[in-house]
Amino acid sequence: MALSVTGTTYIGVSTKMYLGYRDCLEWLEQVRNAVDSRPALAAGRVVPFVIPAFPMLPAAAAILAGSPVRLGAQNCGWADGPWTGEVSPSLLAELDVSLVEIGHAERRRYFGEDSVLIARKVRAADAAGITPLVCVGEETCDDGTVAGATAAAAFVYQQIADAVGGDWALASRLVIAYEPVWAIGAAEPAGGDYVSTVVRSLRALLNAHNAEAGATLGDLPIIYGGSAKPGLLPTLDGVSGLFLGRFAHDAANLGRVLDEALALAPAGLPSTP
């Protein structure tokens, strides 16, 4: 089974607001130890990333310095300037943040972020040299059917198109987190066959814009999130990794998923965007 068409597998964790400051720093130290104990990660075929809350970012950058772990942020503003309470991508870049989560289902649902605002944030992050990690996913569950998976792929394709405002060259610089809304916080993740079908269909839709992008959009990193845990990754085909939540707030569980990724990752040069 080919885990990723790009040859690079991404394993990421967001802490959301579950961990306090001290607990988060202790967890980051554990993550660093888990990564350091797996020297195969230095080859770059499996790329771990962590996304703590904003106040932890400077300390996180210091803890992770020199490791293969990429540091991410949970959100960003759309510009520098008089935007009280926002955090600009340019400031995140100064803190050694290399990717930023944009358009998560919680931001869309509870903070009213629409496609126009998400597109502004994506463009601002890209301009600051930060990889946008764009979150997409259908609202309702039609798990297990080809028709449902095809409809889900069409829905998330439109979310991606909206996020880049039709600029398919920009799309080639994204990482996509496919997170079915109905699977976030659920007891079990979406089924492996369903996720694989959605991602294959999505890649086919994206490939239609290869000429505009000047790149093969079907090779975009597309990772799965939504109650992901050990044992899921080997069931997926054509998916570029996992976006983990609370389960990986135990660093030992993160280590188990990293071991699965290392066992499955194809040999050869990585293609990290």
Side-chain angles (χ1 to χ4, degrees), residues 102-147:
I102 299 173
H104 190 277
E106 292 156 1
R107 302 297 309 181
R108 295 176 191 260
R109 176 180 291 182
Y110 299 114
F111 295 89
E113 295 196 4
D114 60 13
S115 58
V116 173
L117 180 57
I118 290 166
R120 287 176 178 169
K121 291 185 176 188
V122 167
R123 192 167 294 278
D126 180 69
I130 298 176
T131 299
L133 175 66
V134 178
C135 300
V136 295
E138 74 277 17
E139 293 278 346
T140 58
C141 175
D142 199 359
D143 194 358
T145 69
V146 173

Side-chain angles (χ1 to χ4, degrees), residues 207-226:
N207 271 332
H209 299 282
N210 288 343
E212 298 165 76
T216 304
L217 290 180
D219 288 353
L220 272 182
I222 303 175
I223 63 177
Y224 170 80

Side-chain angles (χ1 to χ4, degrees), residues 48-115:
F49 66 88
V50 295
I51 306 183
F54 283 135
M56 289 75 161
L57 290 176
I63 291 170
L64 301 173
S67 83
V69 183
R70 295 178 64 180
L71 181 61
Q74 295 181 16
N75 188 26
C76 69
W78 58 90
D80 296 319
W83 308 108
T84 301
E86 292 295 318
V87 179
S88 69
S90 62
L91 176 57
L92 294 176
E94 288 188 63
L95 296 176
D96 294 325
V97 168
S98 64
L99 73 163
V100 59
E101 197 174 351
I102 299 173
H104 190 277
E106 292 156 1
R107 302 297 309 181
R108 295 176 191 260
R109 176 180 291 182
Y110 299 114
F111 295 89
E113 295 196 4
D114 60 13
S115 58

Side-chain angles (χ1 to χ4, degrees), residues 184-246:
I184 297 173
E188 295 293 333
D193 288 343
Y194 178 83
V195 173
S196 299
T197 302
V198 171
V199 172
R200 282 195 298 266
S201 299
L202 177 59
R203 292 191 187 283
L205 291 169
L206 291 170
N207 271 332
H209 299 282
N210 288 343
E212 298 165 76
T216 304
L217 290 180
D219 288 353
L220 272 182
I222 303 175
I223 63 177
Y224 170 80
S227 305
K229 55 188 177 182
L232 177 62
L233 196 59
T235 73
L236 303 178
D237 182 24
V239 180
S240 308
L242 295 179
F243 194 15
L244 306 166
R246 280 178 289 174

